[in-house]
Amino acid sequence: MDVLTRIEGRVGLITLNRPAQMNALNNALMDQLGSALLAFDNDPDVGAIIVTGNEKAFAAGADISEMADMTCARAMSENFITRNWEMLRQVRKPVIAAVGGVALGGGCELALTCDIVIAAASARFGLPEIKLALLPGAGGTQRMAHAIGKAKAMDMCLSARMLDAAEAERYGLVSRVVPDAALLEQALALAEKIASFSTPALVAIKEAVNRTYETSLTEGILFERRALYARFASADAREGMQAFLQKRTPNFTHS
């Protein structure tokens, strides 16, 4: 299997598993990743998801051997990348990328698609497609500019510059940097904390934050306000507020 899965409490853990290829992302792996993500997203006992690799590589990029003979017509007819790489966008629950080692090309783009990125101190991020006379094609030119701004995104895409973990955190690409040995432990701790909250509320927050990338501030505020109003119809929101007033721990039923 190119993807390994397990459940820890209310956290679904997905591990990319092509170590000999530095977790290079091919169609088989992306198909399995998409299936695993959707399975956890549809599991009521899972509240948050982690995607990780190994200590050497989160993912070293797309599998070039699959692309070497690609033609424009074939890419169009096969819906290349769009068919399976965009599966993560369908996931409504929070997804955390736990990045150790290199996250290059498609690996960097995969991390960018996740909601939170935790990086090991040794992690490095790059979009080196220009070296192959290509360009980032799984959202890299778009999401990187959103994440760190136009100037730095241009630098990475045009010069193949790599960012170490400290730079990535400083620029806002990653949420936090942790010691290499503590990467999975820290990612699981964060995911467990997130998953302890009401799942419908988490889904609403994720939708509202993502909305800011696709609309104006005025429309985004309207979306956020309506999402808040909708929470007042939920059992979890009533439970959360009553628990706060009664100074006790809430018992969320994720409804």
Side-chain angles (χ1 to χ4, degrees), residues 232-255:
F232 291 132
S234 76
D236 278 351
R238 289 192 295 276
E239 165 64 11
M241 289 185 284
Q242 286 299 314
F244 176 82
L245 293 173
Q246 296 167 12
K247 298 182 179 180
R248 61 176 174 81
T249 301
N251 179 27
F252 293 130
T253 58
H254 308 289
S255 60

Side-chain angles (χ1 to χ4, degrees), residues 86-100:
E86 293 294 312
M87 194 68 70
L88 188 51
R89 296 186 65 193
Q90 299 180 31
V91 178
R92 303 182 69 196
K93 293 173 183 174
V95 180
I96 298 169
V99 179

Side-chain angles (χ1 to χ4, degrees), residues 174-217:
V174 306
S175 171
R176 60 185 78 177
V177 178
V178 301
D180 286 32
L183 175 62
L184 189 54
E185 175 188 353
Q186 292 290 321
L188 281 167
L190 175 60
E192 286 167 359
K193 180 177 182 180
I194 291 171
S196 72
F197 299 128
S198 169
T199 299
L202 294 171
V203 169
I205 291 170
K206 175 172 173 173
E207 288 179 346
V209 173
N210 283 334
R211 190 76 171 188
T212 192
Y213 288 107
E214 299 175 0
T215 189
S216 67
L217 177 60

